[in-house]
């Protein structure tokens, strides 16, 4: 929230074709958990990513005249597994940015949010959690077809994959009724916590005043 995002909560129920709409490869989603008695066909499985729900929130806001949308959610995603009675659950933190940080003013033009705004948000999170040796690794269009080519990256610490960041592909935005560009990220919460450090290194008070 300190980064300027508003916390939201989206439905844990999802449409079975969210994977195709988002253009995310099947191997990244695994098997869906189907509901026995769904409320409707658009909520017949448990979500495997928070991003589709957040894109629907962006579309809803845009259709109601709210162009600047900054949202994040910490929630659970679900996956079915052959031979298991209970689904696998994973905690993730995801966010979306659309529009600008603020409205235009006489002394400040309206600047459209892009990949680097999302990168800055994650860099602030990395700093606050004292995560060491984190880096952004470029994702190719084959690795992340749901993101804009050249505007997609994964966040890694050593060999540990924490999540991804990028501008959602215009065709994926269109499939959810959202106007591009939309910056999105999704991180595995357990992996992020595992590399975070609770203790901060003490920095000596500067001897001389700032100039």
């Amino acid at each position: 929230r300190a980064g300027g995002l508003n916390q939201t909560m989206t439905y844990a129920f999802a449409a079975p074709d969210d994977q195709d709409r988002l253009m995310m490869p099947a191997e990244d989603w695994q098997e869906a958990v189907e509901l026995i008695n769904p409320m409707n066909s658009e909520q017949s499985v448990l979500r495997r990513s928070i991003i589709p729900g957040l894109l629907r929130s962006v579309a809803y806001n845009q259709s109601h005249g709210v162009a600047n949308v900054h949202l994040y959610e910490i929630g659970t995603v679900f996956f079915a597994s052959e031979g298991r009675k209970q689904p696998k659950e994973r905690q993730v933190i995801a966010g979306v940015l659309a529009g600008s940080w603020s409205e235009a003013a006489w002394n400040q033009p309206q600047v459209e949010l892009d990949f680097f705004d999302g990168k800055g948000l994650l860099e602030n999170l990395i700093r606050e959690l004292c995560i060491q040796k984190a880096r952004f690794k470029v994702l190719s269009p084959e690795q992340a077809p749901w993101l804009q080519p050249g505007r997609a990256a994964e966040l890694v610490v050593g060999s540990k994959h924490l999540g991804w960041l990028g501008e959602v592909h215009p065709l994926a935005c269109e499939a959810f009724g959202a106007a591009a560009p939309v910056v999105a990220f999704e991180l595995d919460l357990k992996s992020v916590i595992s590399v975070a450090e609770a203790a901060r290194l003490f920095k000596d008070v500067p001897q001389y005043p700032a100039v």
Side-chain angles (χ1 to χ4, degrees), residues 126 131-136 155-158 162:
I126 290 167
I131 297 175
Q132 305 298 321
K133 299 181 180 178
R135 62 190 178 91
F136 291 92
L155 179 60
V156 296
V157 174
L162 301 187

PDB file of all heavy atoms in Angstrom, residues 126 131-136 155-158 162:
ATOM      1  N   ILE A 126      11.377  -5.118  -2.646  1.00  0.00           N
ATOM      2  CA  ILE A 126      12.633  -5.839  -2.398  1.00  0.00           C
ATOM      3  C   ILE A 126      13.449  -5.130  -1.321  1.00  0.00           C
ATOM      4  O   ILE A 126      13.996  -5.764  -0.413  1.00  0.00           O
ATOM      5  CB  ILE A 126      13.445  -5.942  -3.711  1.00  0.00           C
ATOM      6  CG1 ILE A 126      12.761  -6.905  -4.679  1.00  0.00           C
ATOM      7  CG2 ILE A 126      14.874  -6.400  -3.434  1.00  0.00           C
ATOM      8  CD1 ILE A 126      13.306  -6.824  -6.090  1.00  0.00           C
ATOM      9  N   ILE A 131      15.639  -8.062   0.726  1.00  0.00           N
ATOM     10  CA  ILE A 131      15.977  -9.204  -0.125  1.00  0.00           C
ATOM     11  C   ILE A 131      17.279  -8.886  -0.844  1.00  0.00           C
ATOM     12  O   ILE A 131      17.396  -7.869  -1.527  1.00  0.00           O
ATOM     13  CB  ILE A 131      14.856  -9.494  -1.137  1.00  0.00           C
ATOM     14  CG1 ILE A 131      13.572  -9.894  -0.386  1.00  0.00           C
ATOM     15  CG2 ILE A 131      15.265 -10.585  -2.115  1.00  0.00           C
ATOM     16  CD1 ILE A 131      12.366 -10.075  -1.290  1.00  0.00           C
ATOM     17  N   GLN A 132      18.262  -9.779  -0.697  1.00  0.00           N
ATOM     18  CA  GLN A 132      19.584  -9.562  -1.269  1.00  0.00           C
ATOM     19  C   GLN A 132      19.714 -10.272  -2.622  1.00  0.00           C
ATOM     20  O   GLN A 132      19.151 -11.332  -2.848  1.00  0.00           O
ATOM     21  CB  GLN A 132      20.665 -10.079  -0.318  1.00  0.00           C
ATOM     22  CG  GLN A 132      20.593  -9.504   1.095  1.00  0.00           C
ATOM     23  CD  GLN A 132      20.791  -8.010   1.131  1.00  0.00           C
ATOM     24  OE1 GLN A 132      21.618  -7.470   0.392  1.00  0.00           O
ATOM     25  NE2 GLN A 132      20.048  -7.318   1.981  1.00  0.00           N
ATOM     26  N   LYS A 133      20.474  -9.644  -3.512  1.00  0.00           N
ATOM     27  CA  LYS A 133      20.846 -10.223  -4.808  1.00  0.00           C
ATOM     28  C   LYS A 133      19.644 -10.568  -5.688  1.00  0.00           C
ATOM     29  O   LYS A 133      19.662 -11.536  -6.453  1.00  0.00           O
ATOM     30  CB  LYS A 133      21.709 -11.477  -4.602  1.00  0.00           C
ATOM     31  CG  LYS A 133      23.020 -11.181  -3.872  1.00  0.00           C
ATOM     32  CD  LYS A 133      23.851 -12.429  -3.703  1.00  0.00           C
ATOM     33  CE  LYS A 133      25.157 -12.112  -2.985  1.00  0.00           C
ATOM     34  NZ  LYS A 133      25.993 -13.337  -2.766  1.00  0.00           N
ATOM     35  N   ALA A 134      18.574  -9.798  -5.577  1.00  0.00           N
ATOM     36  CA  ALA A 134      17.425  -9.982  -6.467  1.00  0.00           C
ATOM     37  C   ALA A 134      17.736  -9.320  -7.808  1.00  0.00           C
ATOM     38  O   ALA A 134      18.397  -8.284  -7.865  1.00  0.00           O
ATOM     39  CB  ALA A 134      16.172  -9.371  -5.855  1.00  0.00           C
ATOM     40  N   ARG A 135      17.255  -9.922  -8.878  1.00  0.00           N
ATOM     41  CA  ARG A 135      17.480  -9.335 -10.197  1.00  0.00           C
ATOM     42  C   ARG A 135      16.301  -9.648 -11.107  1.00  0.00           C
ATOM     43  O   ARG A 135      15.552 -10.604 -10.885  1.00  0.00           O
ATOM     44  CB  ARG A 135      18.780  -9.858 -10.815  1.00  0.00           C
ATOM     45  CG  ARG A 135      18.812 -11.358 -11.053  1.00  0.00           C
ATOM     46  CD  ARG A 135      20.207 -11.838 -11.436  1.00  0.00           C
ATOM     47  NE  ARG A 135      20.254 -13.277 -11.610  1.00  0.00           N
ATOM     48  CZ  ARG A 135      20.048 -13.887 -12.780  1.00  0.00           C
ATOM     49  NH1 ARG A 135      19.822 -13.166 -13.869  1.00  0.00           N
ATOM     50  NH2 ARG A 135      20.104 -15.199 -12.866  1.00  0.00           N
ATOM     51  N   PHE A 136      16.156  -8.818 -12.119  1.00  0.00           N
ATOM     52  CA  PHE A 136      15.107  -9.009 -13.117  1.00  0.00           C
ATOM     53  C   PHE A 136      15.731  -9.637 -14.363  1.00  0.00           C
ATOM     54  O   PHE A 136      16.727  -9.143 -14.883  1.00  0.00           O
ATOM     55  CB  PHE A 136      14.450  -7.675 -13.476  1.00  0.00           C
ATOM     56  CG  PHE A 136      13.635  -7.084 -12.360  1.00  0.00           C
ATOM     57  CD1 PHE A 136      14.195  -6.193 -11.460  1.00  0.00           C
ATOM     58  CD2 PHE A 136      12.301  -7.435 -12.206  1.00  0.00           C
ATOM     59  CE1 PHE A 136      13.455  -5.657 -10.430  1.00  0.00           C
ATOM     60  CE2 PHE A 136      11.542  -6.905 -11.181  1.00  0.00           C
ATOM     61  CZ  PHE A 136      12.118  -6.018 -10.284  1.00  0.00           C
ATOM     62  N   LEU A 155      11.315 -12.143 -11.775  1.00  0.00           N
ATOM     63  CA  LEU A 155      12.097 -11.735 -10.618  1.00  0.00           C
ATOM     64  C   LEU A 155      12.724 -12.973 -10.005  1.00  0.00           C
ATOM     65  O   LEU A 155      12.010 -13.927  -9.657  1.00  0.00           O
ATOM     66  CB  LEU A 155      11.205 -11.023  -9.593  1.00  0.00           C
ATOM     67  CG  LEU A 155      11.872 -10.558  -8.300  1.00  0.00           C
ATOM     68  CD1 LEU A 155      12.999  -9.571  -8.583  1.00  0.00           C
ATOM     69  CD2 LEU A 155      10.842  -9.930  -7.364  1.00  0.00           C
ATOM     70  N   VAL A 156      14.046 -12.988  -9.917  1.00  0.00           N
ATOM     71  CA  VAL A 156      14.754 -14.159  -9.403  1.00  0.00           C
ATOM     72  C   VAL A 156      15.750 -13.733  -8.321  1.00  0.00           C
ATOM     73  O   VAL A 156      16.251 -12.610  -8.316  1.00  0.00           O
ATOM     74  CB  VAL A 156      15.495 -14.921 -10.530  1.00  0.00           C
ATOM     75  CG1 VAL A 156      14.518 -15.493 -11.538  1.00  0.00           C
ATOM     76  CG2 VAL A 156      16.499 -14.015 -11.224  1.00  0.00           C
ATOM     77  N   VAL A 157      16.002 -14.661  -7.405  1.00  0.00           N
ATOM     78  CA  VAL A 157      17.064 -14.516  -6.414  1.00  0.00           C
ATOM     79  C   VAL A 157      17.889 -15.790  -6.494  1.00  0.00           C
ATOM     80  O   VAL A 157      17.423 -16.864  -6.093  1.00  0.00           O
ATOM     81  CB  VAL A 157      16.510 -14.317  -4.987  1.00  0.00           C
ATOM     82  CG1 VAL A 157      17.645 -14.331  -3.971  1.00  0.00           C
ATOM     83  CG2 VAL A 157      15.737 -13.017  -4.885  1.00  0.00           C
ATOM     84  N   GLY A 158      19.089 -15.698  -7.053  1.00  0.00           N
ATOM     85  CA  GLY A 158      19.872 -16.895  -7.321  1.00  0.00           C
ATOM     86  C   GLY A 158      19.152 -17.744  -8.360  1.00  0.00           C
ATOM     87  O   GLY A 158      18.827 -17.277  -9.449  1.00  0.00           O
ATOM     88  N   LEU A 162      10.790 -15.996  -8.180  1.00  0.00           N
ATOM     89  CA  LEU A 162       9.823 -15.377  -7.271  1.00  0.00           C
ATOM     90  C   LEU A 162       8.511 -15.029  -7.968  1.00  0.00           C
ATOM     91  O   LEU A 162       7.454 -15.029  -7.343  1.00  0.00           O
ATOM     92  CB  LEU A 162      10.405 -14.112  -6.633  1.00  0.00           C
ATOM     93  CG  LEU A 162      11.692 -14.263  -5.819  1.00  0.00           C
ATOM     94  CD1 LEU A 162      12.023 -12.944  -5.128  1.00  0.00           C
ATOM     95  CD2 LEU A 162      11.589 -15.387  -4.804  1.00  0.00           C
TER      96      LEU A 162
END
